[in-house]
């Protein structure tokens, strides 16, 4: 097979790849210089749509509606955009070998691709229950959600199992967003997770109590403190029951598993420095190998604001790290420098008519403010995290655009707090006057 050669290659076709391509377009890239190699069949798209509007019975999202970069309010990059810019979009192509020393990538079909500069944007793969040998985990209608193909299969199941029963395994982002989406489709939903409350990596028990109460009010059954240990299926191989560790058995026509992801770094093991489960980079997303960059989920980078190094799995960082790497590449070609990446952690979610945002770091003591009663007609509440007398992080449910900007500013500036009582009393107004 003919070898293909490019100045720049992005391996991975997710959110980071799309935002990197847009930045290359802005900075100036000649036709034939840039290639994106993706195992998916479609041009880069905004992945968060899959767990939200893609599954809605009305107002459904479909491609080309959510190709990048619409998620951040930018121009939609349709497949034609890449053609117009002379960017080669190499789809349905899985890279199975990366030789960084010879600057060569090899696909499953045996094609070879040479590059001068590589951007690793391989993202994460979902953790599957079959990885742990869970009995019956290969039954039909057990779903994971990472790519558009996964979402399409889930949509088909929702249609074929009208008014059926779903069990959601996991109480994180995927668990909460998909429980809501399935409930909106009139599916009977039970959520199961081992932790004492939902979203434990971010939520306090007070925050979680609101969402659990709200979901219960919507008719979602929540079972905490146990895990799925096996599945029974019918003669067609379709899942019928979920066996829990505590001995209970739940009926299920559909099972969705959301128990986390793993960064896809295997191709580069032993070739590049790693830390905290990712590929170690500097503030420009350069790895330990010259002319190799890593962005998004796979990068472990300096978190300047907290003076430590972290790996962040979130779409906001996927977008921004990709843009930073391309700016750094172009600046170094011109003998210029740019500022190091200075990222403020940001997470958000939308489900039912709820919408929350979080900025900063969830460490230290917490102060809850506002109305977090799940029975309120329009609940609006938040939490400050305080460490060493300063605000370190802020969470807000039901905020306006201006209020969300205000909490971001507080998390960035980390103002001192004279009195916790005063902060409790002032609540959101404290953030709005910073």
């Amino acid at each position: 097979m003919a070898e293909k050669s490019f100045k720049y290659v992005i391996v991975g076709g997710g959110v980071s790849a799309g935002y990197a391509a847009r930045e290359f377009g802005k900075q100036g890239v000649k036709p034939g210089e840039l290639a994106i190699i993706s195992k998916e069949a479609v041009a880069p798209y905004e992945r968060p749509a899959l767990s939200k509007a893609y599954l809605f019975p009305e107002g459904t999202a479909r491609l080309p509606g959510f190709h990048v970069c619409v998620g951040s309010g930018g121009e939609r990059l349709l497949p034609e955009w890449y053609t117009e810019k002379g960017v080669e979009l190499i789809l349905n192509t899985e890279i199975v070998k990366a030789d960084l020393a010879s600057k060569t990538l090899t696909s499953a079909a045996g094609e070879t691709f040479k590059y001068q500069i590589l951007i690793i944007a391989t993202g994460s793969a979902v953790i599957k229950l079959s990885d742990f040998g869970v009995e019956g985990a290969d039954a039909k209608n057990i779903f994971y959600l990472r790519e558009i193909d996964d979402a399409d299969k889930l949509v088909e199941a929702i249609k074929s199992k009208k008014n059926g029963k779903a069990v959601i395994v996991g109480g994180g982002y995927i668990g909460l967003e998909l429980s809501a989406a399935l409930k909106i489709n009139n599916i009977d939903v039970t959520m199961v997770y081992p932790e004492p409350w939902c979203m434990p990596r971010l939520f306090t028990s007070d925050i979680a109590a609101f969402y659990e109460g709200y979901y219960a009010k919507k008719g979602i059954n929540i079972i905490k403190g146990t895990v799925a240990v096996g599945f029974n299926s019918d003669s067609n191989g379709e899942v019928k029951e979920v066996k829990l560790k505590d001995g209970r058995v739940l009926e299920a026509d559909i099972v969705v598993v959301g128990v986390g992801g793993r960064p896809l770094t295997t191709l580069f093991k032993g070739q590049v420095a790693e830390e905290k489960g990712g590929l170690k980079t500097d503030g420009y997303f350069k790895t330990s190998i010259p002319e190799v960059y890593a962005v998004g989920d796979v990068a472990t980078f300096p978190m300047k604001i907290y003076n430590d190094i972290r790996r962040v799995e979130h779409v906001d960082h996927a977008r921004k790290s990709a843009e930073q790497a391309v700016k750094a590449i172009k600046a170094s070609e011109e003998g210029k420098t740019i500022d190091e990446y200075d990222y403020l952690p940001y997470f958000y979610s939308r489900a039912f008519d709820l919408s929350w945002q979080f900025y900063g770091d969830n460490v230290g003591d917490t102060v809850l403010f506002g109305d977090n009663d799940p029975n309120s007609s329009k609940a609006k509440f938040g939490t400050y995290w305080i460490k060493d007398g300063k605000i370190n992080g802020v969470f807000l449910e039901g905020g306006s655009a201006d209020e969300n900007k205000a909490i971001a500013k507080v998390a960035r500036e980390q103002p001192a707090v004279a009195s916790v009582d005063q902060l409790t009393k002032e609540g959101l107004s404290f953030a709005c006057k910073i």
Side-chain angles (χ1 to χ4, degrees):
M1 284 186 175
E3 182 178 274
K4 286 190 165 184
S5 195
F6 301 93
K7 185 173 183 182
Y8 314 105
V9 167
I10 300 167
V11 62
V15 172
S16 285
Y19 280 76
R22 179 177 71 168
E23 192 57 39
F24 269 117
K26 280 185 193 169
Q27 299 276 343
V29 68
K30 296 190 183 96
E33 281 190 331
L34 171 63
I36 294 173
I37 306 174
S38 173
K39 69 181 176 62
E40 290 195 69
V42 295
Y45 56 86
E46 301 284 0
R47 223 175 271 289
L50 299 182
S51 59
K52 300 179 181 72
Y54 204 84
L55 303 175
F56 290 174
E58 289 166 16
T60 315
R62 285 291 176 271
L63 288 178
F66 59 96
H67 280 299
V68 297
C69 298
V70 294
S72 59
E75 174 200 356
R76 185 182 293 119
L77 306 190
L78 298 172
E80 305 85 83
W81 180 91
Y82 299 88
T83 311
E84 284 161 17
K85 294 282 181 194
V87 175
E88 193 146 344
L89 208 47
I90 302 166
L91 303 174
N92 295 306
T93 302
E94 186 177 4
I95 297 299
V96 293
K97 187 176 175 226
D99 184 338
L100 302 184
S102 69
K103 298 190 167 189
T104 308
L105 305 171
T106 309
S107 76
E111 303 154 289
T112 56
F113 303 95
K114 299 285 261 188
Y115 61 84
Q116 290 174 40
I117 294 173
L118 178 67
I119 297 178
I120 299 167
T122 42
S124 296
V126 293
I127 294 170
K128 297 197 168 181
L129 296 181
S130 47
D131 300 346
F132 307 109
V134 173
E135 177 205 354
D138 52 359
K140 290 178 195 162
N141 286 350
I142 297 180
F143 299 97
Y144 299 84
L145 187 64
R146 179 69 194 169
E147 296 175 357
I148 207 157
D149 283 358
D150 304 326
D152 284 336
K153 287 173 191 157
L154 186 51
V155 166
E156 285 313 303
I158 290 168
K159 283 179 187 162
S160 69
K161 303 293 179 188
K162 271 199 166 41
N163 307 320
K165 292 184 186 315
V167 173
I168 310 287
V169 178
Y173 267 109
I174 290 290
L176 286 165
E177 293 188 356
L178 291 195
S179 292
L182 287 166
K183 191 69 197 173
I184 292 165
N185 280 283
N186 291 321
I187 302 275
D188 183 332
V189 178
T190 300
M191 281 179 85
V192 178
Y193 45 89
E195 300 89 358
W197 62 76
C198 63
M199 285 284 281
R201 287 199 300 183
L202 174 59
F203 288 2
T204 62
S205 58
D206 284 337
I207 294 172
F210 167 79
Y211 294 98
E212 289 173 354
Y214 189 97
Y215 275 50
K217 203 176 72 168
K218 290 284 188 186
I220 291 169
N221 181 30
I222 295 176
I223 299 174
K224 301 187 264 192
T226 190
V227 291
V229 291
F231 302 91
N232 294 328
S233 46
D234 63 15
S235 54
N236 297 323
E238 287 191 0
V239 72
K240 276 288 147 230
E241 293 176 327
V242 182
K243 295 189 277 187
L244 303 184
K245 195 175 184 178
D246 66 8
R248 279 185 271 189
V249 178
L250 307 175
E251 284 180 57
D253 304 298
I254 295 171
V255 173
V256 183
V257 181
V259 291
R262 283 195 193 96
L264 285 165
T265 58
T266 320
L267 285 173
F268 313 100
K269 284 238 176 291
Q271 301 186 72
V272 60
E274 294 184 55
E275 200 154 339
K276 294 188 175 177
L279 307 178
K280 189 180 179 183
T281 78
D282 64 10
Y284 307 102
F285 294 98
K286 277 191 243 179
T287 67
S288 58
I289 303 289
E291 304 196 308
V292 175
Y293 293 73
V295 297
D297 290 7
V298 296
T300 301
F301 62 96
M303 185 78 79
K304 202 171 167 183
I305 188 170
Y306 305 123
N307 198 27
D308 64 2
I309 68 163
R310 297 189 189 180
R311 196 177 65 76
V312 173
E313 286 184 21
H314 195 261
V315 65
D316 181 61
H317 164 67
R319 294 167 180 154
K320 289 173 180 168
S321 58
E323 289 168 348
Q324 172 77 353
V326 175
K327 285 173 183 164
I329 289 165
K330 286 301 206 173
S332 86
E333 287 174 356
E334 293 164 14
K336 295 176 183 167
T337 55
I338 62 166
D339 290 337
E340 286 189 65
Y341 195 57
D342 187 9
Y343 186 65
L344 175 68
Y346 165 55
F347 300 94
Y348 69 89
S349 183
R350 291 187 297 277
F352 293 119
D353 55 357
L354 304 173
S355 173
W356 61 258
Q357 295 196 6
F358 168 83
Y359 293 89
D361 211 9
N362 60 328
V363 293
D365 299 323
T366 58
V367 167
L368 181 77
F369 60 85
D371 173 14
N372 73 327
D373 179 352
N375 296 306
S376 292
S377 58
K378 191 71 186 112
K380 184 171 179 174
F381 70 96
T383 295
Y384 292 108
W385 279 261
I386 302 152
K387 189 185 174 202
D388 302 329
K390 294 189 303 189
I391 290 180
N392 230 42
V394 197
F395 173 96
L396 182 61
E397 164 63 51
S400 66
D402 285 345
E403 287 164 343
N404 288 328
K405 270 187 199 145
I407 66 164
K409 192 176 179 199
V410 169
R412 168 68 75 187
E413 294 188 7
Q414 300 177 18
V417 174
S419 149
V420 169
D421 289 345
Q422 187 64 22
L423 190 60
T424 311
K425 209 178 291 172
E426 287 190 30
L428 184 57
S429 64
F430 177 88
C432 293
K433 69 183 187 195
I434 294 295

